[in-house]
């Protein structure tokens, strides 16, 4: 089933603006940080960005960071069947990016910056071609100032920030 912008229910001004923003930024390849309260549809927004992008025929892969144990993160992201290699040519949606431990944020930052990974067990780096779409319900700038999130990673993932209006503003 292919999601379309019309699948977002509501006609509020905030939602109309969100649809317009999705349409514009889908053409870009820049990383996107989706910010919004719990339950506002950040995942739906990420899928729509991917589906309206030139990468829409390639994979859309979602990683729920708050559901992964810290000792499994390397395998999930950098394994031979990990997120970066599986999403090659497409989009990688990193949900709850704020849940990543600081030590792992260093690895993620380096991967995004260098656009290459060394898969677990591999002897050579592999170039990656993946659009990063992240989501959070926290204020990552405040988290970074409190040293709970890395400034350098925030800089890499927040090239375009997209605010999703809260449900209370979409009563229809």
């Amino acid at each position: 089933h292919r999601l379309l912008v019309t699948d977002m229910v509501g006609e509020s001004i905030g939602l109309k603006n969100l649809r317009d923003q999705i349409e514009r930024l889908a053409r870009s390849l820049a990383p996107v940080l989706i910010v919004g309260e719990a339950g506002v549809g950040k995942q739906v927004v990420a899928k729509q960005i991917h589906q309206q992008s030139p990468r829409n025929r390639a994979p859309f892969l979602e990683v729920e960071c708050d559901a992964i144990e810290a000792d499994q993160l390397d395998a999930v992201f950098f394994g031979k069947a990990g997120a970066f290699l599986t999403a090659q040519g497409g989009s990688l949606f990193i949900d709850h990016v704020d849940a990543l431990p600081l030590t792992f944020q260093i690895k993620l930052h380096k991967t995004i910056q260098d656009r290459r990974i060394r898969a677990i067990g591999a002897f050579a780096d592999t170039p990656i071609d993946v659009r990063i779409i992240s989501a959070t319900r926290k204020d990552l700038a405040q988290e970074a100032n409190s040293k709970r999130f890395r400034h350098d990673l925030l800089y890499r993932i927040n090239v375009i920030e997209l605010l999703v209006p809260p449900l209370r503003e979409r009563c229809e």
Side-chain angles (χ1 to χ4, degrees), residues 20-34 45-63 77 83-95 108 111-113 115-116 127-135 156-162:
D20 292 342
Q21 286 179 296
I22 290 170
E23 189 175 334
R24 278 193 314 276
L25 67 86
R27 294 185 286 257
S28 167
L29 298 178
V32 176
L33 177 63
I34 302 169
V45 170
K47 284 181 180 177
Q48 290 179 357
I49 291 168
H50 173 75
Q51 290 170 348
Q52 293 182 47
S53 80
R55 296 175 175 265
N56 64 4
R57 296 194 187 278
F60 173 86
L61 190 70
E62 178 181 352
V63 176
F77 280 92
F84 278 105
L85 293 178
T86 302
Q88 194 73 296
S91 301
L92 176 57
F93 177 48
I94 306 173
D95 200 4
L108 184 59
T111 299
I112 294 170
Q113 174 183 290
R115 304 193 62 74
R116 55 192 328 97
I128 55 167
D129 175 23
V130 175
R131 183 180 194 180
I132 304 295
I133 304 172
S134 305
R156 290 284 172 202
I157 65 173
N158 192 16
V159 175
I160 301 171
E161 185 172 283
L162 185 59

Side-chain angles (χ1 to χ4, degrees), residues 102-119:
L102 288 169
T103 53
F104 189 79
Q105 290 178 30
I106 296 167
K107 294 177 186 179
L108 184 59
H109 171 262
K110 182 165 177 37
T111 299
I112 294 170
Q113 174 183 290
D114 296 348
R115 304 193 62 74
R116 55 192 328 97
I117 68 162
R118 179 161 302 171

Side-chain angles (χ1 to χ4, degrees), residues 139-151 154:
D139 180 339
L140 289 186
Q142 185 177 26
E143 293 293 298
N145 289 335
S146 299
K147 303 204 182 315
R148 290 185 296 264
F149 200 84
R150 294 186 55 89
H151 281 282
L154 178 58

